[in-house]
Amino acid sequence: MKELNVLINNARLEKRLDEMAKEIEKDYKGKEIVFIGILKGSVPFMWELAKRIKNNIIFEFIEVSSYINNESSGKVILHKDIKSSIEGKDVIIVEDIVDTGKTLDFLLKHLEEKNAKSVKIATLLSKPSRRVIELNVDYIGFKIDDKYVVGFGLDDNQNLRNLPYIGYYE
């Protein structure tokens, strides 16, 4: 079994979530927000972020994949679309990690057809060194080096999502 190291402990996560929530509240003062969580990894981050925000937040989920056995296939596949209309609404796509940018590029184009008033991106982690497609990510929890990370929603073949911190393998 590989040894797991702590990259971002729970106290740092909690502090940054508080800060991100304040940024979002300021930007959306008095407005309703639709959070679109990308299944499955975004769920813990989305929940923890949403419960810190005073605005009314509607939850939607979308499921896409581009990874097979922890390796990027380079092709994004839509498995589950959102159920409700987002036409004329303020949307924040909630992602666990922005890596190459391909998944979010695909989703931005997909959601553009649904006529939202605005679409922004919130991610817990960003790996700028891996970016293939440049994106404007509006809310970033932490920028990290190119490490294989798990915990707080991020998985290793569906395992370790429930860790209360972000860990990595050497």
Side-chain angles (χ1 to χ4, degrees):
M1 182 81 180
K2 299 178 269 187
E3 186 177 338
L4 191 59
N5 301 291
V6 176
L7 180 64
I8 303 166
N9 67 27
N10 188 262
R12 280 186 65 208
L13 279 170
E14 296 286 331
K15 181 178 185 290
R16 185 64 189 123
L17 285 163
D18 290 342
E19 294 165 355
M20 290 177 79
K22 284 186 179 110
E23 289 175 50
I24 291 169
E25 268 187 14
K26 185 176 146 240
D27 292 349
Y28 291 91
K29 193 166 181 67
K31 295 180 180 175
E32 181 176 81
I33 309 166
V34 178
F35 269 16
I36 298 180
I38 303 174
L39 292 173
K40 302 175 187 161
S42 72
V43 173
F45 170 52
M46 184 167 147
W47 173 248
E48 289 298 325
L49 185 61
K51 73 182 191 181
R52 290 167 163 79
I53 297 172
K54 293 176 182 69
N55 304 52
N56 185 49
I57 297 175
I58 295 169
F59 282 39
E60 274 292 337
F61 293 95
I62 197 162
E63 186 175 9
V64 293
S65 67
S66 63
Y67 279 77
I68 299 167
N69 295 327
N70 295 332
E71 292 293 321
S72 179
S73 69
K75 183 174 175 13
V76 180
I77 300 163
L78 178 68
H79 297 288
K80 177 192 178 309
D81 204 349
I82 60 174
K83 296 238 189 273
S84 303
S85 170
I86 57 170
E87 188 167 344
K89 297 183 178 179
D90 292 303
V91 171
I92 298 178
I93 300 171
V94 182
E95 175 67 299
D96 55 0
I97 187 165
V98 179
D99 194 2
T100 63
K102 290 179 181 179
T103 299
L104 281 169
D105 183 59
F106 171 89
L107 284 175
L108 287 168
K109 289 173 182 162
H110 177 72
L111 293 175
E112 195 175 281
E113 300 167 5
K114 297 181 184 293
N115 300 316
K117 180 179 174 185
S118 69
V119 179
K120 291 189 177 184
I121 299 168
T123 188
L124 178 60
L125 303 175
S126 177
K127 283 187 190 177
S129 67
R130 299 256 308 145
R131 206 77 83 242
V132 174
I133 296 172
E134 283 309 313
L135 299 163
N136 179 36
V137 181
D138 305 278
Y139 308 101
I140 298 173
F142 301 91
K143 287 184 180 175
I144 63 168
D145 293 330
D146 187 15
K147 296 182 182 301
Y148 190 84
V149 288
V150 295
F152 212 77
L154 298 132
D155 71 301
D156 180 6
N157 250 348
Q158 302 301 324
N159 297 300
L160 303 172
R161 289 187 193 276
N162 61 317
L163 294 175
Y165 61 89
I166 305 293
Y168 70 97
Y169 295 114
E170 260 327 322

